Amino acid sequence: MATVSNVELLPEVSAFLDRAVLPGYVGGAPITNSNNETFDTLDPGSGEKLATVTALSAEEVDTAVKAAQKAFDQTSWAKMAPNERGALLHRLADAVDQHKHIIGQLEALDAGKIQAQAVGDVSNFVATIRYFADMAQHIQRRSALAVAGHEAFTVRQPWGACGFIFPWNFPFLLIGWGIAPALAAGNTVVIKPAEDTPMSAIYLAELAIEVGLPEGVINVIPGTGPEAGAALSSHPGLKRMSFTGSPEVGRLVGEACGRNLVPVKLELGGKGAAVIFDDVDVADTAEKLAQAITFHTGQVCCDATRWIVHESIYNKFVDECLTRLQKVQIGYQMSDSSQMGPVVNKKQQERVLGYLEKGKSSGADLVLEGGVASVEGKNGFYVKPALLAGSLDNVAAQEEIFGPVAYLASFQDEAEAIQHANNTEYGLANSVWTSNLERAYRVAESLSAANSWINAHNVFPHGVPYGGVNKSGLGGGVNSVETLFDYWRSMSVVRPL
């Protein structure tokens, strides 16, 4: 078996990486750039090249959107009985589950994820496909209307070709969150993976062909954001669009969709708060938040990156956090001893380090210095956990850093805590930490975000809507029945009596 950075790979992973060029997939067939343009995807843990990938152009993106709409119009997919379509989706979920260690290894290498966490993301994908495939079979799509003198009802119908642009932090898991409801509702999809992490999407396209999904139901178009991403988001042939990523790019996607009157769902960034009252178990809370900020090296949009702590326990809480963060084992993502791997690329490493400098120069105290982390034998993109403290108006407390960095502030009373937590342009997810449930509910409902968690952070059970408001997104959330409804358009039918 081949090795990458002296790590033994599964034979299927080695064969995948040994291909001359990884293609996209359109209409059930591989496709490459007509001018042979490519890009390389790198291992963030070593800086080494993993594979060469085709860089599809606007021309190939156009072909993909047309293939998706053709599959919607001409195959049986959209008109299948829900149980028949569900059976095919379960077959896809089964195939992914059977290959989860292969996909997990590809994902770990490509995204810099701890390998066990990458496999967990694949399992989440499987659960999401099954959840929506089953839900679509049990929802009544026709609803009678009580209208005097008329027989009237509404019926939910699939839209058609739906476009998706996914980020690099949770490539495979977020593909599941995005396309599962769209497919279960009878739509077809065009997936544009991040250029840093395209491999798991390409592997998925190949599995979709193997299990017998109609040609063109799932299309994958690797390429750059300015070329393939822009071409997809501005394509007038789409019926719906979904983007997950930064607010800056989200605005561009929203503008492009607006010009074509294409409905768009934007899942964007966050600057979440953890509000910690004085009746918590300090050591347990510090442990959970230290784990949250180091999970996937802090590259989690809904993470708790502002820790707002009651002044009476502030010093004790900080000491507990320091003890834990200083012990985190930073290492190569494929090593069993590693607790935190690299960030995704050099640009992201520089972003994290740059915010530490900007925060400090703007008056923040460096409670835990952070900086570049060295991993023996690896020339990857590693950073240490860091803690800053001070005014919440500081740039490092206001802007999304996307690394293992938290910002600390204290509060005196509940009103001040809520004010601190809401001092942000974002609105994704916050958490409240207290043993007083009455207070927990009261504060959770007072926070300006789409999600509030109690005595936990980063909680995503299927069935609970998850989305964003303000700078964190628009157009609906994921993971619930509401998401399935997003991928059906409502149509009214009326007959005068």
Side-chain angles (χ1 to χ4, degrees):
M1 290 185 285
T3 61
V4 170
S5 264
N6 300 317
V7 174
E8 191 173 80
L9 301 179
L10 296 169
E12 297 89 345
V13 173
S14 295
F16 189 86
L17 298 179
D18 285 343
R19 299 185 197 179
V21 177
L22 296 178
Y25 281 88
V26 170
I31 186 173
T32 56
N33 180 284
S34 58
N35 294 320
N36 298 318
E37 294 180 7
T38 63
F39 63 92
D40 290 340
T41 182
L42 305 181
D43 175 355
S46 67
E48 299 172 356
K49 173 185 168 181
L50 289 170
T52 297
V53 186
T54 190
L56 297 185
S57 69
E59 179 182 353
E60 289 95 32
V61 172
D62 177 64
T63 301
V65 174
K66 289 176 179 176
Q69 190 60 41
K70 180 180 178 181
F72 181 81
D73 293 334
Q74 298 183 15
T75 73
S76 60
W77 182 255
K79 296 179 175 62
M80 276 184 188
N83 62 316
E84 294 178 6
R85 190 164 52 242
L88 280 173
L89 289 174
H90 271 281
R91 191 182 300 171
L92 177 63
D94 291 345
V96 171
D97 195 37
Q98 292 162 9
H99 294 79
K100 68 180 177 182
H101 292 290
I102 299 168
I103 302 171
Q105 198 166 82
L106 289 171
E107 190 88 330
L109 288 167
D110 216 11
K113 284 181 174 287
I114 299 297
Q115 188 167 199
Q117 295 172 4
V119 173
D121 287 358
V122 179
S123 295
N124 188 285
F125 174 99
V126 171
T128 304
I129 293 289
R130 290 172 176 163
Y131 172 75
F132 283 107
D134 291 345
M135 182 193 299
Q137 297 177 50
H138 297 98
I139 288 181
Q140 176 56 256
R141 290 167 56 186
R142 183 175 295 179
S143 301
L145 301 174
V147 181
H150 298 78
E151 177 192 24
F153 59 90
T154 60
V155 62
R156 297 184 178 97
Q157 303 283 24
W159 291 84
C162 300
F164 293 86
I165 298 177
F166 293 108
W168 44 257
N169 59 334
F170 288 87
F172 202 68
L173 180 148
L174 291 177
I175 288 176
W177 286 14
I179 71 170
L183 294 173
N187 300 283
T188 55
V189 301
V190 180
I191 299 168
K192 193 298 189 175
E195 58 202 90
D196 283 298
T197 55
M199 296 199 300
S200 58
I202 295 169
Y203 198 91
L204 173 67
E206 295 175 355
L207 286 181
I209 295 169
E210 288 182 19
V211 302
L213 263 67
E215 295 176 356
V217 169
I218 294 180
N219 306 275
V220 174
I221 50 166
T224 66
E227 178 75 16
L232 181 62
S233 60
S234 63
H235 200 290
L238 290 177
K239 303 304 179 185
R240 280 195 69 90
M241 181 70 205
S242 174
F243 169 81
T244 306
S246 71
E248 294 75 21
V249 179
R251 288 190 182 98
L252 298 176
V253 172
E255 290 171 6
C257 290
R259 286 192 290 271
N260 293 320
L261 299 181
V262 173
V264 62
K265 182 196 294 281
L266 301 175
E267 302 289 341
L268 308 177
K271 195 68 179 178
V275 179
I276 305 157
F277 286 92
D278 57 355
D279 58 350
V280 299
D281 182 324
V282 175
D284 181 65
T285 303
E287 175 69 24
K288 290 175 179 175
L289 287 173
Q291 289 178 356
I293 201 64
T294 55
F295 177 71
H296 194 32
T297 321
Q299 299 168 119
V300 183
C301 58
C302 54
D303 223 340
T305 54
R306 294 176 298 143
W307 296 349
I308 301 168
V309 189
H310 193 275
E311 61 181 9
S312 66
I313 62 167
Y314 181 87
N315 290 334
K316 182 179 180 182
F317 177 79
V318 171
D319 289 342
E320 292 283 356
C321 291
L322 286 172
T323 297
R324 285 157 176 78
L325 292 173
Q326 289 169 334
K327 292 180 179 178
V328 171
Q329 296 297 310
I330 302 170
Y332 188 53
Q333 68 267 24
M334 309 302 285
S335 171
D336 292 338
S337 62
S338 298
Q339 296 174 313
M340 190 176 86
V343 292
V344 72
N345 55 30
K346 182 67 174 177
K347 180 181 177 181
Q348 191 62 23
Q349 184 188 49
E350 292 173 349
R351 176 185 176 91
V352 174
L353 299 176
Y355 268 107
L356 294 179
E357 288 301 317
K358 286 190 287 186
K360 183 179 178 181
S361 65
S362 300
D365 296 325
L366 276 179
V367 179
L368 181 61
E369 186 173 2
V372 175
S374 297
V375 174
E376 185 177 358
K378 299 291 184 291
N379 189 30
F381 313 117
Y382 298 94
V383 295
K384 299 175 184 177
L387 293 176
L388 298 95
S391 168
L392 287 171
D393 292 328
N394 187 283
V395 62
Q398 287 294 313
E399 297 183 11
E400 187 176 39
I401 298 173
F402 229 54
V405 182
Y407 199 100
L408 290 150
S410 63
F411 69 90
Q412 292 182 328
D413 57 34
E414 184 177 308
E416 186 181 21
I418 294 170
Q419 181 183 13
H420 283 343
N422 289 339
N423 179 23
T424 176
E425 294 181 339
Y426 290 93
L428 191 52
N430 301 306
S431 56
V432 183
W433 302 76
T434 176
S435 59
N436 182 331
L437 285 182
E438 182 179 346
R439 175 167 61 190
Y441 299 141
R442 184 173 62 245
V443 174
E445 293 178 11
S446 300
L447 300 181
S448 298
N451 309 276
S452 283
W453 296 306
I454 294 174
N455 296 329
H457 206 93
N458 295 337
V459 184
F460 309 103
H462 290 104
V464 176
Y466 169 79
V469 297
N470 304 327
K471 197 176 175 180
S472 291
L474 58 82
V478 296
N479 268 354
S480 74
V481 63
E482 296 173 10
T483 319
L484 185 62
F485 288 172
D486 284 342
Y487 288 98
W488 281 318
R489 57 180 177 83
S490 183
M491 177 183 183
S492 62
V493 179
V494 183
R495 180 177 69 90
L497 297 176

